[in-house]
Amino acid sequence: MTFLKTLFLNPPSYEGFDGGAGSRYQARREVRSFWYPTWLAQPAAMVPGSRLVDAPPRGLTLADVLPLASEYELAVLHTSTPSFPSDVRTAEALRLANPKLQIGFVGAHVAVLPEPSLLASSSIDFVAREEFDYTIREVAEGRPLAEVDGLSWRDGSRVVHNRPRATIEDMDALPWVMDVYHRDLVIEDYFNGYLLHPYVSLYSGRGCRSRCTFCLWPQTIGGHRYRTRSPQNVAAEIARGREYFPQVKEFFFDDDTLTDDLPRAEEIARRLAPLGVTWSCNAKPNVPYQSLRILRDNGLRLLLVGYESGNQSILNNIRKGTRVDVARRFTEDCHRLGIKIHGTFIVGLPGESRDTLAETMRFAREINPRTIQVSLPAPYPGTELFQQARERGWLAPQSPELVSEAGVQVATIGYPELPAEEISAALEEFYRRFYFRPGKILEIVKEMLASREVLVRRLREGQEFFRFLRSREKTA
Ligand code: SF4
């Protein structure tokens, strides 16, 4: 079978913008961070002869990627709500450089808003809705667009919506992203403050059983059933990863919640043990001690844990399905077992008040994850939070965009009793109160003194972090 010569592009946008596939909050981070473009790598693995270009982590500009236009017949661009206007400009420039180039967009934004996305520019020929892996493969096979499930496309001035693409059930049938990483990416480009460097991330399954109202991927593309690859298949891909990248220090499972299926997570861990790899994953703060111990004994180093809030009513409001007391116990268990935690929190969720902000900041200091990330609620189209915010008048009129001109998250939600500006200020306050404590500073200094590599890295991140706080002061 022949395929169109296909370019998969995570386009250049804001400097340092982590908006590509795999990123949950599409914005420039506090410190230089990039997730892997796994959602683009997956269809790239299904289209022989294709190439994946991840512009932001490589530092590529539009001028750098434009010459590629003439080398390809099909370009698939990953977009997001904050980067969409900039991604449209990239598509238009590519089309100008090669008028014959067929251009399609993928990502949650176009999956939810296919028609307005297509109408935004005549340079976008199609957008893919739902899970787009097989959809893109069929377009790359050269099938007529009218025959490809899951596509919305332009037929002259008309937008046509084909029937939906069926959800993927046989996850083991998907080829490995590791081969595409090896072919097209430089793994040293990918950083995350709390992961060892270099790291490699991948998915062992898609979908999340939880229904958190703010969360993008399960509500747009992944769905609420956790569809998984077999532990054998996962372990074999990790083994391949080790062969390709002997320098890798850590593998990260980017599944929404790997611990949603504990017997399976434990089996994966046991299969990874003989490989001697260090790994980490996303988790909810409710994993029992026994399972934590099995995971730790088989290579688990760190959990990325969505606490979101230390107030139970807020957790209920956002349908998190977790309890504050269980989260406390879970965190103590992790400390006891030596499992590190990167805890994520959101300030300004529905029901937030000055009191609950103070309660959550106190909670974070008390449970003391090793590192934290504090975000603002991002009402992405397609999420229940977006719907609620629109219906209840929470969207701040002065901040219609999700990110600033520099690509940094801005507060777009506010309440009569807690305006958006105050929520924005609470984010900085949260970081200061958590990190600027003698105990925490000592912890970081000790870690820095233990290794020169960590010392250099933390000094760079420290500078970036202070720059981030200063840039927020200016935009506030
Ligand atoms: S548990 Fe995590 S991944 Fe799942 S819906 Fe909630 S925030 Fe999203």
Side-chain angles (χ1 to χ4, degrees), residues 24-25 207-219 223-224 254-257 260 282-285 304-306 308 318-322 344 346:
R24 281 169 176 73
Y25 278 93
C208 182
R209 290 177 185 159
S210 302
R211 294 185 176 266
C212 306
T213 58
F214 61 87
C215 185
L216 180 65
W217 296 113
Q219 294 185 79
H224 293 290
D254 206 7
D255 303 39
D256 289 321
T257 312
D260 256 2
N282 294 311
K284 283 172 81 171
L304 197 164
V305 179
E308 327 305 358
I318 59 169
R319 295 189 221 287
K320 184 74 198 176
T322 50
T344 62
I346 305 176

Side-chain angles (χ1 to χ4, degrees), residues 30 458-468 470:
E30 299 82 341
R458 292 284 178 253
L459 286 175
R460 173 181 62 75
E461 288 170 352
Q463 276 180 347
E464 288 173 5
F465 183 65
F466 282 111
R467 220 175 296 140
F468 167 82
R470 276 204 301 277

Side-chain angles (χ1 to χ4, degrees), residues 316-330:
N316 298 345
N317 289 347
I318 59 169
R319 295 189 221 287
K320 184 74 198 176
T322 50
R323 283 183 10 208
V324 174
D325 58 334
V326 174
R328 276 184 195 278
R329 197 201 56 217
F330 156 88

